[in-house]
Amino acid sequence: MLPAIPDGVGTTRAAVARIPGAILELPVRTAMVRLVPSHPAGEVAPYPASAIRGAIGRWTLARMCPAPGIPCEGCDGREDCPHGQLFFPTAGPEGPRTPPPPWSLWATWDRDDRDLAVGVQTCGRHAETLMPVLLDALRNVADDGAVDGVPKARMVPGRAPDRAQPVRDLVRAGLPAALRIRTVTPVSLKVDGRELTTAPTLDLWVKAARRRAMMLARSYGSGSGADADQEAANAQPMPVEPLAPTRRSVRPVVIRRWSERQGRTIWLRGIEGSMVYEPVPAHSAEWLAVGGVLGIGGDPTHGFGRVEISPR
C-alpha cells in the first residue's frame, strides 16, 4: 500500500505568523512512488534510501555530466548540470559556503506486500527541473536492479503535485499544545558534534527544524542569502525550554554504507520512534510544522529526517 505524502503536505493552508517569509515562500515539490519487485524479495536492505541515492548519483553522472573526467568539485559547469545541482550544489555569493542539497529522499518497506515506498522532495529554484530528473533516474536504476539491497523493481507513480508549492501552502498550522513527533525515517540530531541516541528535548527539535529551513531558504529561496539572514534576525525565535518528552519509545539506528566517491565506509546514525511533548508553545509548534514539510536534521538525501507532527 502506498502511503500518502507525509507531514500534512497539501492538507492545510494557513498563515504561520512567526516563520520568516523567506521560508514560507520557498517552493517545494514532493512525490511518492512505489517500487514493486519483479520477483519475491529475499534479504533486503532495511534502510535502502542511501543505496538509492548512490545509484541515482551513478546514473546521473554517467548520462548527464557535460565534462567527463573533470572532478565535480572544480567543474565550472556544475551549476547548469543536473548531477552537479543534485550532488555539488552552489548557493551563490550571498548564500552559505556549503549549502544543503536542494532535495531529499526517503524509503520505507511495506510490511504487507513488500513493496518499497519512496518519497522524493525538491525545493527552491530548481524544484521544478530536478524532480523529473530524480524520478527518471529512480525509474531506471530500479528497473536495472542497480540498487544494493533492493531487488529489480517496477516503479509505480503515486501522489505527486503538478507543480511546486510554497511552504506556506503546505505547513500544518494550528497544532495543539500536546504534540506527538513520530519518525517516518531515522532522524539525525547532534549535540556538541555527536549524534543523539536518546529522545531529544523539545528545544533540540525546534532548533534543528529552524536551522534546516533557514539554510534552505538562504541557499535556494527567491531572495538573496543576505535578505534571508536579515529577515531571520528581525524575527528571532522565542526561547524554547529544554522540555523532555512525557512519553517516549525511541531506539538508536546505525547504517553502514560504502561511498564510492570517497572510497571509504560511512556511518549514518540517528534515532527512530515516537515522542510526546506537552505543553508545546505556539511558536515552537510552528517551527515543528515547518520541519514536518522540509524535514529535520542531517543526511536528508540518505533517507533521514522525515517526521510526522500530530496532536497527541
Side-chain angles (χ1 to χ4, degrees):
M1 180 177 64
L2 185 69
I5 294 176
D7 314 327
V9 172
T11 63
T12 305
R13 297 190 178 192
V16 185
R18 301 166 186 85
I19 306 300
I23 294 172
L24 295 178
E25 298 308 319
L26 186 71
V28 175
R29 190 171 179 182
T30 307
M32 293 296 301
V33 301
R34 183 162 46 99
L35 301 186
V36 182
S38 58
H39 56 81
E43 182 153 350
V44 297
Y47 300 100
S50 185
I52 295 173
R53 176 192 186 274
I56 288 175
R58 293 189 293 271
W59 192 90
T60 55
L61 179 62
R63 289 161 179 79
M64 298 183 174
C65 175
I70 298 179
C72 294
E73 296 92 330
C75 181
D76 293 335
R78 74 176 189 265
E79 173 61 25
D80 300 317
C81 164
H83 178 80
Q85 292 168 5
L86 290 169
F87 293 93
F88 299 91
T90 58
E94 295 180 332
R97 185 173 181 180
T98 306
W103 63 293
S104 56
L105 171 78
W106 61 99
T108 55
W109 289 103
D110 188 297
R111 295 182 179 180
D112 295 328
D113 52 25
R114 300 298 289 173
D115 292 351
L116 183 62
V118 181
V120 180
Q121 185 178 90
T122 55
C123 67
R125 61 184 181 273
H126 298 310
E128 296 285 7
T129 57
L130 288 182
M131 180 60 77
V133 171
L134 285 165
L135 293 180
D136 189 39
L138 179 59
R139 180 183 299 106
N140 278 276
V141 299
D143 188 61
D144 293 342
V147 181
D148 295 338
V150 178
K152 185 175 180 179
R154 171 175 55 92
M155 190 177 91
V156 178
R159 182 183 175 191
D162 295 334
R163 61 186 182 280
Q165 300 168 276
V167 170
R168 183 188 305 277
D169 289 353
L170 304 176
V171 71
R172 181 174 183 174
L175 291 167
L179 294 180
R180 183 184 304 277
I181 301 177
R182 185 184 74 85
T183 63
V184 178
T185 67
V187 175
S188 176
L189 300 179
K190 292 184 178 181
V191 175
D192 297 328
R194 297 176 65 91
E195 291 89 354
L196 281 180
T197 58
T198 58
T201 52
L202 180 66
D203 60 313
L204 298 179
W205 283 110
V206 174
K207 290 175 183 177
R210 183 179 187 275
R211 173 175 170 75
R212 173 161 170 76
M214 281 306 309
M215 287 290 285
L216 289 172
R218 288 182 60 206
S219 302
Y220 310 114
S222 57
S224 68
D227 291 340
D229 283 346
Q230 185 59 48
E231 187 173 13
N234 294 337
Q236 285 295 325
M238 297 176 68
V240 182
E241 293 294 327
L243 183 68
T246 56
R247 301 178 190 175
R248 65 181 72 84
S249 176
V250 176
R251 73 183 190 95
V253 173
V254 179
I255 303 172
R256 181 178 183 269
R257 288 288 302 144
W258 173 258
S259 171
E260 291 188 10
R261 185 178 69 85
Q262 300 179 43
R264 65 181 181 90
T265 296
I266 60 174
W267 297 90
L268 305 171
R269 294 179 171 87
I271 58 170
E272 60 182 8
S274 176
M275 291 135 278
V276 172
Y277 298 86
E278 54 184 326
V280 177
H283 60 89
S284 296
E286 290 182 354
W287 281 112
L288 293 174
V290 170
V293 175
L294 296 175
I296 297 178
D299 299 317
T301 62
H302 289 272
F304 279 59
R306 306 312 300 189
V307 297
E308 287 182 352
I309 312 295
S310 62
R312 172 177 62 93

